[in-house]
Amino acid sequence: MVRIPGMLRRSSGLDAEDDSTSSARFLCQDPCAEQLIRSGRYCHILDVDVNDWETDAIEAAWQVLGDRMAVVPSGVVSLDSVTSKIGSLRSDFQEHETVAAFLIDRQPVTNAEYGHFVQNGGYDQHDLWPSEVLPYVLQFLDQTGCPGPRYWNNGQPPRDRLDHPVVGISWYEANAFANWVGKRLATSAEWQRAGTWWREGVRYPWGSGFEKDRANTWSSDGSSTVSVHDYASGMTPNGVGHLIGNVWEWVFGLIDFCEVESGQVLLQQPLAEIRGGAFDTYLPSQATCTFRSGARLFDRAHNIGFRCCVAQHVLRSRGDQQESDHHSFADDHDVS
Amino acid sequence: MGFLSSPATKSSEFSVKGHVTCIGCGNETYANAEYCQRCQMPLELSRLALVRGSRPSFIPILGASNAGKTVYIGMLLDMLSKGSHGLVGLPNNALSVAVQQGTISALENRRFPDKTVCEAEEWQWIHCEVAVDAKARRFVDIVTPDLAGEAIALEVDHPGSYPSIKSCVIHASAMIILIDAVRARDGGSEEDLFATKLATYMYQLKCKSDGKNRPKPVELPVAVTFTKSDSCPEAADDPMGFARANLPSLMQYCRRNFFRVGFFASSAVGSVATIHDDFDGDRQIPLHVQPRGIVEPVQWIINKK
């Protein structure tokens, strides 16, 4: 059996909220696989480098993955404004980046999903955190002093917001969670590709113009986060929702310095990139698939959440899991 | 006198034979002039008093240099024009729209608006008519010049240096004092002392204008508003506690001399990057616009009528 850190810890108590994992329960006979799937860690079962899982476990993991994630085809992304490495605050600056096909969460990570991480001791697992950050992990506490997102109590998510995006987590916590579920944060180019792959030049998952009824922003009277199941009309054609509005999303990119008229200058404090705008984003021009902003790495803001992605090539092929030379994931899945 | 119950006026009070009397300083000016020659207050306000038959209710917005007055005013105008917290306001002159436009445009292009100059004739007078109850034709006017902080400091130290500031305060129905939260937290007692001085100036002018022989607490609602609270969570989480900890003199003074004082935290942006280069020195870059606590002080003032 595969050994995955934290796998045999206590039950999270949040399973009842996960509709998409309950169907997998009846397909999967392996209790360890079932536990992984129920806590949202199905990508560990689909890891191309691991061949220890039974067919039914793999099939169940695929089933959940199909519900939770969408395929984004490869392509070239034009990034403007603040960039990850060679940053710029000039609006005329653009760079192009090619991204390989990948899968991205259909929704931001919810309080319920993050609850599995907290209750399975995610904050105690040192291998999930960069060593230089470990001293600070002790300070990632909720309102009652328990490990967890800033706005939780007693290590528990608010019961009336289980299906809202988790907020009050730093960039490091987002990365640790992604690591725990066998995924990672999307790069800036990947995140933008997820919202714009279906038509060249679009700024929104639904087209080129802002429509306030399709996303939870200041313009749509957004006063707080909403369920990830709301605003269904704001989805991309392949069913990726809430890219715009509701919460900003951490991506895997740091802004170290930026380009100004007089040349490149260092930021006094490095920032991690955030994307998509939030419920309180005021300007429609700043809640687009192309707008890029930043926040301090340790910020645990009321309006920043995240979603995860996984590269296609790290997943085994469906229905052919015993073969070592698997064929392309995109061959198996219609991305249109 | 209640906040919205400005004294009724006769039409003739502001109009004498082709002249209009400035509601700020009482100076008579040609009716077609734009500004009062003495205090530079826009005469449009006096004409409005004629139409309405009552004085506009002034809410001046004051604060030290770099407290964020222009950004606050610009954001406030923009939010009110779109409708927020049940309030809808319309900028009533081109200059007000210019401040609104200048602020939003600057923030959208990731810079803060240029610093307001000290010359009074260059100040942009803001006038925003906020409908409190449109059916009953009840309005609140936010009237304030977008003042340079240095000018406010000079006027406070030497009353009369800038007559327009004095006019504004004398006719104020309420007051918003802006204080840089980060400077209040990190900058020693300077912010506390300046804010106290400003409160003293306001109090003394109001006492004089109300004809009180012996100073007593005044009714004027004062909204002490901490700006830049995106960079100061202590102020954002508990504005009154923050004031108690960091502005003890102001707290004492307000408690003794103003009946109604509210504490608020505001910010216009969600994230700020600080860059340094040898050419410009340190520079703050607003990364995205995320207003918090901008309209609340005005809403509180209106509810304190």
Side-chain angles (χ1 to χ4, degrees):
Chain A
M1 192 182 77
V2 185
R3 196 187 72 79
I4 295 168
M7 199 173 91
L8 297 175
R9 300 206 179 213
R10 63 189 179 279
S11 166
S12 68
L14 295 162
D15 298 350
E17 319 305 331
D18 298 343
D19 293 340
S20 63
T21 56
S22 58
S23 58
R25 184 182 177 189
F26 302 103
L27 296 170
C28 178
Q29 303 299 316
D30 181 340
C32 294
E34 188 187 326
Q35 190 188 355
L36 280 176
I37 291 170
R38 289 174 72 86
S39 56
R41 306 174 69 195
Y42 42 85
C43 281
H44 286 296
I45 298 172
L46 301 174
D47 188 336
V48 72
D49 294 329
V50 178
N51 287 315
D52 295 353
W53 297 100
E54 296 298 329
T55 308
D56 65 334
I58 292 168
E59 185 53 38
W62 271 119
Q63 193 179 328
V64 176
L65 181 139
D67 285 342
R68 298 278 187 88
M69 303 187 86
V71 180
V72 180
S74 60
V76 178
V77 177
S78 299
L79 295 167
D80 53 28
S81 214
V82 182
T83 57
S84 301
K85 287 181 180 173
I86 303 170
S88 170
L89 296 171
R90 286 175 5 203
S91 57
D92 58 345
F93 182 88
Q94 273 206 335
E95 63 173 323
H96 302 284
E97 197 172 318
T98 302
V99 297
F102 63 101
L103 292 97
I104 194 162
D105 288 346
R106 293 185 188 277
Q107 313 292 356
V109 173
T110 62
N111 280 310
E113 289 166 339
Y114 199 84
H116 291 295
F117 173 67
V118 175
Q119 295 187 7
N120 281 280
Y123 285 83
D124 301 329
Q125 295 178 47
H126 292 185
D127 54 337
L128 297 175
W129 306 85
S131 56
E132 69 273 17
V133 176
L134 282 174
Y136 301 101
V137 175
L138 296 172
Q139 295 167 30
F140 293 150
L141 304 173
D142 68 16
Q143 298 184 102
T144 56
C146 297
R150 182 178 169 192
Y151 302 102
W152 288 17
N153 286 302
N154 302 310
Q156 298 283 337
R159 282 279 148 195
D160 58 340
R161 293 188 168 211
L162 288 174
D163 59 354
H164 287 220
V166 64
V167 293
I169 38 98
S170 66
W171 184 75
Y172 292 108
E173 288 164 281
N175 276 286
F177 175 92
N179 195 1
W180 184 71
V181 295
K183 303 179 188 176
R184 61 175 170 79
L185 296 189
T187 64
S188 184
E190 284 172 336
W191 192 97
Q192 184 168 317
R193 179 80 181 151
T196 60
W197 64 268
W198 56 281
R199 193 195 297 166
E200 199 175 339
V202 288
R203 296 169 75 209
Y204 297 96
W206 55 82
S208 293
F210 180 73
E211 294 178 41
K212 68 183 178 72
D213 296 333
R214 291 182 187 261
N216 182 27
T217 65
W218 196 91
S219 306
S220 51
D221 268 343
S223 53
S224 69
T225 58
V226 296
S227 163
V228 297
H229 305 300
D230 292 348
Y231 290 98
S233 63
M235 283 186 185
T236 60
N238 60 338
V240 179
H242 289 261
L243 284 167
I244 302 301
N246 214 8
V247 290
W248 288 99
E249 295 180 15
W250 292 116
V251 296
F252 193 79
L254 298 187
I255 305 165
D256 296 312
F257 53 92
C258 62
E259 200 167 282
V260 293
E261 298 298 324
S262 52
Q264 287 181 349
V265 291
L266 277 172
L267 291 177
Q268 288 198 335
Q269 206 171 15
L271 302 171
E273 193 171 331
I274 53 174
R275 288 287 207 144
F279 64 87
D280 51 2
T281 298
Y282 187 71
L283 300 173
S285 62
Q286 297 187 341
T288 73
C289 288
T290 52
F291 182 79
R292 310 170 72 185
S293 193
R296 291 180 292 266
L297 278 67
F298 285 96
D299 277 356
R300 307 177 85 214
H302 66 288
N303 62 355
I304 306 180
F306 68 103
R307 77 178 71 215
C308 302
C309 80
V310 63
Q312 157 213 306
H313 66 85
V314 305
L315 298 178
R316 65 173 62 244
S317 298
R318 192 173 195 179
D320 195 17
Q321 52 271 27
Q322 300 305 319
E323 279 188 22
S324 54
D325 57 341
H326 62 285
H327 60 278
S328 162
F329 176 84
D331 295 341
D332 295 338
H333 293 79
D334 180 9
V335 295
S336 62
Chain B
M1 185 177 70
F3 173 65
L4 293 172
S5 55
S6 303
T9 54
K10 293 175 187 169
S11 293
S12 58
E13 187 181 339
F14 300 119
S15 176
V16 181
K17 294 176 188 170
H19 286 69
V20 67
T21 307
C22 173
I23 54 167
C25 64
N27 184 44
E28 278 184 21
T29 310
Y30 288 113
N32 59 355
E34 268 191 75
Y35 297 95
C36 170
Q37 288 167 338
R38 189 192 290 168
C39 75
Q40 284 96 41
M41 189 174 279
L43 290 172
E44 165 225 336
L45 298 169
S46 302
R47 292 187 203 103
L48 187 72
L50 273 174
V51 173
R52 285 207 203 135
S54 65
R55 284 179 186 277
S57 302
F58 287 8
I59 305 179
I61 298 167
L62 305 176
S65 176
N66 273 326
K69 292 182 291 299
T70 304
V71 170
Y72 180 86
I73 291 168
M75 278 307 302
L76 179 65
L77 291 176
D78 200 65
M79 292 178 78
L80 288 173
S81 69
K82 290 175 179 170
S84 180
H85 293 70
L87 300 176
V88 180
L90 283 177
N92 233 356
N93 57 18
L95 291 178
S96 302
V97 178
V99 171
Q100 174 186 354
Q101 183 187 17
T103 303
I104 297 300
S105 168
L107 293 175
E108 201 158 21
N109 288 298
R110 288 196 159 143
R111 57 182 177 77
F112 286 108
D114 294 336
K115 198 166 160 44
T116 307
V117 296
C118 282
E119 290 75 25
E121 60 272 18
E122 297 290 321
W123 294 342
Q124 311 215 48
W125 276 82
I126 312 305
H127 177 207
C128 180
E129 189 178 60
V130 182
V132 178
D133 184 347
K135 280 183 187 166
R137 296 185 56 76
R138 290 202 308 159
F139 299 94
V140 174
D141 298 87
I142 296 168
V143 178
T144 185
D146 182 14
L147 301 161
E150 290 81 356
I152 297 171
L154 193 62
E155 170 64 20
V156 168
D157 286 339
H158 306 285
S161 306
Y162 288 91
S164 51
I165 298 177
K166 191 175 169 184
S167 295
C168 241
V169 172
I170 286 172
H171 296 288
S173 303
M175 199 79 74
I176 296 177
I177 300 179
L178 299 185
I179 298 170
D180 183 325
V182 178
R183 281 204 313 243
R185 183 190 62 190
D186 304 335
S189 57
E190 199 173 318
E191 288 297 300
D192 186 21
L193 295 176
F194 181 82
T196 309
K197 216 158 55 171
L198 186 55
T200 309
Y201 168 80
M202 285 157 36
Y203 173 73
Q204 286 174 347
L205 279 184
K206 289 307 287 182
C207 275
K208 269 187 199 166
S209 68
D210 291 352
K212 288 179 178 172
N213 294 328
R214 289 176 57 193
K216 289 177 184 170
V218 295
E219 294 282 345
L220 180 86
V222 177
V224 176
T225 305
F226 296 107
T227 55
K228 308 176 190 179
S229 66
D230 57 293
S231 301
C232 185
E234 299 88 345
D237 292 345
D238 178 12
M240 188 184 273
F242 182 79
R244 211 175 282 129
N246 296 283
L247 301 162
S249 300
L250 179 69
M251 284 291 279
Q252 281 282 354
Y253 189 84
C254 286
R255 196 176 294 143
R256 217 171 38 230
N257 296 301
F258 296 99
F259 275 124
R260 290 175 287 190
V261 184
F263 291 88
F264 302 87
S266 75
S267 59
V269 298
S271 204
V272 172
T274 307
I275 60 171
H276 178 86
D277 69 65
D278 295 337
F279 189 71
D280 290 323
D282 281 353
R283 195 145 56 95
Q284 301 262 300
I285 296 170
L287 292 177
H288 58 264
V289 179
Q290 183 180 295
R292 289 188 87 181
I294 300 281
V295 179
E296 283 83 343
V298 175
Q299 190 186 31
W300 174 82
I301 284 168
I302 288 170
N303 290 337
K304 285 282 169 190
K305 67 183 176 66

